[in-house]
């Protein structure tokens, strides 16, 4: 590697249980990379990063993209490093949650459940992100729900956000200044109607007509999640002319829901969703180029090629 003077991107994936040995190997690489014009750095590890490795990472400057995720060890936020990354960093993927386990006992068996929960206080995250004013894309796993609006308040250039929703939280009285173009949210619930406060929280993140792509991964333990009609209506009031791509493939929509989406968002180009029955005609927009439907029965003939001019493509 010492001879590879043009290296700009480096990725490290650590799945071995021998954490001390892995830190030693990674540290050797980092000492070489520090003398190169490295622009992108990805580190994924299961058991965490040692103090010596973390100290060396904090010496890196000029990075434009950083991806840092610890699966089972304590999360590493960018404390002490973010102020040095701020002038150049535009893309960040950061895992700040912790994996928790719980055992539920049933009559015939016991079940072990593993889930990710928020592991870093919101105040620490806000302090870290206050130095990263140039961020344009952020993927954040395990952040407290209450911190997201505040993060959008201090990141004026942010355009892409991929984050998680952990349920009820006290919403801070701050207005986002970021004009998001792409939003991805991941969540789970025991209620098919979605986690409490999810829909109002989503609207709080989108005060401007800027959103072009919306993806929701919502899983329910009682069946496929739904997309409330009132949520579609409220989003249309702000994002009607901008929204082009909707991916709610984990949610179960009715044909009437699909009609409403195509009607509320005339600029819609792609729609990915699950649908229980396709016997009703899907109509309402002549501009959509692609609709992807998961169905529990074959598409009926009435569904294909309808509307003003018909659908250009139904996949």
């Amino acid at each position: 590697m010492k001879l590879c003077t043009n290296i700009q991107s480096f990725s490290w994936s650590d799945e071995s249980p021998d954490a001390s040995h892995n830190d030693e190997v990674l540290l050797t690489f980092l000492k070489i990379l520090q003398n190169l014009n490295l622009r992108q750095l990805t580190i994924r590890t299961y058991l965490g990063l040692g103090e010596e490795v973390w100290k060396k990472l904090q010496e890196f400057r000029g990075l434009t993209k950083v991806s840092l995720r610890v699966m089972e060890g304590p999360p590493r936020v960018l404390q002490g490093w973010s102020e040095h990354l701020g002038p150049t960093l535009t893309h960040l993927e950061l895992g700040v949650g912790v994996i928790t386990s719980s055992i539920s006992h049933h009559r015939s068996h016991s079940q072990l459940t593993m889930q990710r929960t928020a592991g870093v206080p919101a105040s620490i995250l806000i302090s870290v992100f206050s130095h990263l004013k140039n961020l344009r894309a952020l993927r954040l796993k395990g952040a407290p729900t209450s911190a997201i609006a505040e993060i959008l308040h201090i990141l004026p250039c942010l355009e892409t956000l991929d984050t998680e929703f952990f349920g009820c939280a006290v919403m801070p009285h701050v207005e986002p200044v970021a004009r998001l173009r792409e939003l991805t949210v991941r969540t789970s619930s025991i209620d098919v109607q979605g986690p409490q406060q999810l829909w109002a929280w989503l609207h709080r993140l989108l005060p401007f007509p800027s959103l072009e792509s919306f993806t929701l991964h919502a899983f329910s333990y009682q069946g496929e999640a739904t997309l409330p009609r009132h949520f579609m209506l409220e989003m249309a009031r702000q994002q009607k002319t901008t929204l082009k791509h909707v991916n709610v493939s984990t949610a179960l929509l009715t044909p009437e829901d699909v009609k409403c989406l195509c009607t509320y968002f005339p600029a819609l180009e792609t729609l990915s969703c699950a649908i229980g029955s396709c016997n009703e005609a899907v109509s309402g927009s002549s501009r959509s180029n692609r609709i992807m439907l998961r169905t529990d029965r074959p598409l009926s003939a009435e569904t294909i090629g309808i509307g003003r001019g018909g659908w250009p493509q139904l996949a």
Side-chain angles (χ1 to χ4, degrees), residues 229 252-263 271 273-283 293 303 311:
R229 188 71 56 82
L252 183 64
L253 272 62
T254 66
E256 189 64 30
D257 291 333
V258 175
K259 288 183 183 180
C260 289
L261 281 171
C262 294
T263 302
L271 169 62
C273 64
I275 191 167
S277 173
C278 286
N279 287 333
E280 295 184 35
V282 180
S283 61
L293 302 177
T303 306
W311 299 108

Side-chain angles (χ1 to χ4, degrees), residues 290-308:
R290 182 182 180 91
I291 294 185
M292 301 177 65
L293 302 177
R294 290 193 294 111
T295 71
D296 61 359
R297 65 190 66 183
L299 292 175
S300 63
E302 292 82 2
T303 306
I304 302 176
I306 58 160
R308 297 189 301 272

Side-chain angles (χ1 to χ4, degrees), residues 23 29 61 89 116 128-129 163 169 181 198 230 244 277 287 302 308:
D23 274 0
F29 283 118
R61 304 289 187 269
L89 194 67
R116 181 182 299 276
V128 166
F129 283 106
T163 189
R181 298 177 59 186
L198 169 63
H230 69 81
K244 299 178 181 179
S277 173
R287 296 185 179 182
E302 292 82 2
R308 297 189 301 272

Side-chain angles (χ1 to χ4, degrees), residues 138-144 148 161-166 183-187 201 205:
L138 172 63
R139 184 176 187 183
L140 195 56
K141 300 185 71 65
I148 303 302
L161 175 65
D162 185 328
T163 189
E164 295 170 310
F165 181 86
F166 289 111
L183 174 62
T184 299
V185 174
R186 307 167 194 275
T187 188
W201 176 77
L205 305 184

Side-chain angles (χ1 to χ4, degrees), residues 43-262:
I43 295 180
R44 289 182 171 85
T45 176
Y46 274 76
L47 299 180
L49 298 171
E51 290 299 327
E52 193 172 358
V53 169
W54 183 244
K55 184 178 179 180
K56 177 58 65 176
L57 282 173
Q58 291 178 306
E59 297 176 3
F60 278 73
R61 304 289 187 269
L63 294 172
T64 60
K65 182 178 180 180
V66 170
S67 178
L68 183 61
R69 293 178 58 185
V70 177
M71 296 301 295
E72 295 185 0
R76 286 286 189 180
V77 293
L78 303 181
Q79 282 181 293
W81 195 15
S82 60
E83 51 264 51
H84 303 295
L85 294 174
T88 58
L89 194 67
T90 59
H91 293 69
L92 175 63
E93 179 181 3
L94 192 62
V96 297
V98 295
I99 303 297
T100 59
S101 60
S102 60
I103 300 178
S104 55
H105 299 282
H106 306 275
R107 289 185 177 181
S108 59
H109 68 283
S110 296
Q111 182 176 352
L112 175 65
T113 302
M114 308 289 290
Q115 63 179 356
R116 181 182 299 276
T117 58
V120 177
S123 58
I124 293 179
L125 289 178
I126 300 304
S127 174
V128 166
F129 283 106
S130 66
H131 300 288
L132 303 176
K133 301 291 187 180
N134 294 318
L135 273 185
R136 297 203 307 268
L138 172 63
R139 184 176 187 183
L140 195 56
K141 300 185 71 65
T145 300
S146 59
I148 303 302
E150 291 194 64
I151 290 173
L152 295 181
H153 180 70
I154 60 177
L155 297 179
C157 299
L158 196 68
E159 297 180 341
T160 301
L161 175 65
D162 185 328
T163 189
E164 295 170 310
F165 181 86
F166 289 111
C168 299
V170 177
M171 296 296 116
H173 297 288
V174 295
E175 289 294 331
V177 298
R179 294 177 178 267
L180 293 179
R181 298 177 59 186
E182 300 180 23
L183 174 62
T184 299
V185 174
R186 307 167 194 275
T187 188
S188 61
S189 172
I190 60 173
D191 185 355
V192 295
Q193 295 298 320
Q196 187 177 357
Q197 296 186 355
L198 169 63
W199 314 112
W201 176 77
L202 284 170
H203 290 307
R204 287 286 305 275
L205 305 184
L206 302 167
F208 307 107
S210 59
L211 193 68
E212 296 180 9
S213 177
F214 174 65
T215 299
L216 177 65
H217 297 291
F219 300 94
S220 169
Y221 297 110
Q222 294 184 355
E224 293 191 86
T226 60
L227 196 66
R229 188 71 56 82
H230 69 81
F231 170 72
M232 304 182 205
L233 285 169
E234 287 298 321
M235 178 173 281
R237 293 181 183 182
Q238 195 67 268
Q239 314 297 335
K240 179 178 180 179
T241 60
T242 61
L243 193 62
K244 299 178 181 179
H245 309 285
V246 175
N247 182 354
V248 288
S249 57
T250 56
L252 183 64
L253 272 62
T254 66
E256 189 64 30
D257 291 333
V258 175
K259 288 183 183 180
C260 289
L261 281 171
C262 294

